[in-house]
Amino acid sequence: MSAARRLVVGNWKMHGSHPANAELLAGILGARPFGCDVAVCVPFPYLSETAVSLAASDLRWGAQDCSAHAQGAYTGEVSAAMLAEFGCRYAIVGHSERRALHGESDQGVADKAKAALGSGVTPIVCVGETREQREAGETAAVVKRQLSAVIHTLAHCVSEMVVAYEPVWAIGTGLSATPQQAQEVHELLRAQLQAASGHASRIRILYGGSVKPDNAAVLFSQPDIDGALVGGASLKAADFVAICRAAG
Ligand code: 13P
């Protein structure tokens, strides 16, 4: 069970353009105040303009990945220190799309989370099972294994991260986990975090996977769902705002 203020994060993925971003951010800004924390994780090239647009507000911004390395010959990578220079509060790490399409390992994700924290950027660590893993009854084992790597690597800093449970089968499919399915996994993750940190009620565990205005409130009513990581619905100001309102 969590006592933390809820957090809603938009993951824009590889979407956006100067005019579309300006319209979307204006729509979100104009709908404040929200009764929850709100952030957008944008593609790297848009961090600068997002920082300018949101600087005077209580909205936060972040990136969708960061390098595990501090600097060096890593073509195409972006370090956590660079994200910090652009005022990023958050960096998503270990999104299932990166695990699947870029071969990211549990330990690689943990190293990214550590690099983010080292630069003062809060990692949003994603975990989640595939449809095949759920059908094989492996959900608990998979998410525990994914989180365990991060817990061991972060050690005493565990309570400074955000965790996002994103069942792979629910991402972009319109097929959200039921509130009960999500709560069941969140409760497991909370217990694992409690054993590791001693104060898991302070760690926010977000749900992600086809969160929409019409299912947000019932998801947030679950005791261990502390907010949402929103993909598709974060690209429409009206939908994202409705989800933020449901969380507040
Ligand atoms: P959708 O909300 O589009 O299902 O995406 C979820 C997600 O992957 C957020 O990181």
Side-chain angles (χ1 to χ4, degrees):
M1 184 95 172
S2 166
R5 184 174 155 94
R6 291 201 184 96
L7 169 65
V8 176
V9 180
N11 174 10
W12 290 5
K13 306 192 180 184
M14 200 174 73
H15 293 285
S17 65
H18 288 305
N21 303 347
E23 188 182 334
L24 178 53
L25 291 175
I28 302 169
L29 281 166
R32 288 173 306 140
F34 300 113
C36 64
D37 294 333
V38 176
V40 290
C41 288
V42 308
F44 293 129
Y46 299 136
L47 279 174
S48 180
E49 70 195 55
T50 302
V52 169
S53 301
L54 303 186
S57 79
D58 54 353
L59 302 182
R60 307 292 180 192
W61 57 95
Q64 301 169 15
D65 186 27
C66 79
S67 177
H69 306 286
Q71 61 180 348
Y74 302 104
T75 301
E77 296 213 22
V78 175
S79 74
M82 294 171 187
L83 300 182
E85 281 194 320
F86 284 89
C88 286
R89 167 67 66 96
Y90 298 106
I92 297 170
V93 297
H95 192 281
S96 63
E97 287 151 15
R98 296 209 59 88
R99 290 181 191 260
L101 303 174
H102 301 270
E104 293 195 4
S105 66
D106 295 339
Q107 189 55 49
V109 171
D111 292 341
K112 289 182 171 195
K114 187 173 182 183
L117 271 182
S119 289
V121 176
T122 300
I124 301 175
V125 176
C126 300
V127 300
E129 83 287 1
T130 62
R131 176 186 296 281
E132 295 70 33
Q133 289 166 332
R134 174 160 282 265
E135 285 170 358
E138 294 167 4
T139 299
V142 168
V143 299
K144 279 183 168 176
R145 188 199 72 222
Q146 291 172 332
L147 186 58
S148 166
V150 181
I151 285 174
H152 285 110
T153 300
L154 295 190
H156 62 279
C157 298
V158 163
S159 52
E160 292 170 43
M161 70 173 158
V162 172
V163 175
Y165 169 54
E166 296 208 317
V168 178
W169 48 270
I171 295 176
T173 58
L175 191 75
S176 170
T178 66
Q180 293 72 25
Q181 282 174 323
Q183 166 60 24
E184 212 170 275
V185 176
H186 280 231
E187 199 175 335
L188 274 176
L189 297 172
R190 180 90 59 203
Q192 192 179 358
L193 291 165
Q194 178 63 22
S197 72
H199 37 249
S201 62
R202 282 201 239 143
I203 305 175
R204 291 188 282 198
I205 308 177
L206 314 182
Y207 168 77
S210 298
V211 177
K212 304 273 183 276
D214 63 4
N215 63 14
V218 63
L219 286 162
F220 296 146
S221 72
Q222 300 299 308
D224 289 298
I225 299 184
D226 306 318
L229 184 54
V230 185
S234 75
L235 299 172
K236 288 188 211 132
D239 286 357
F240 189 62
V241 162
I243 294 167
C244 295
R245 294 230 163 95

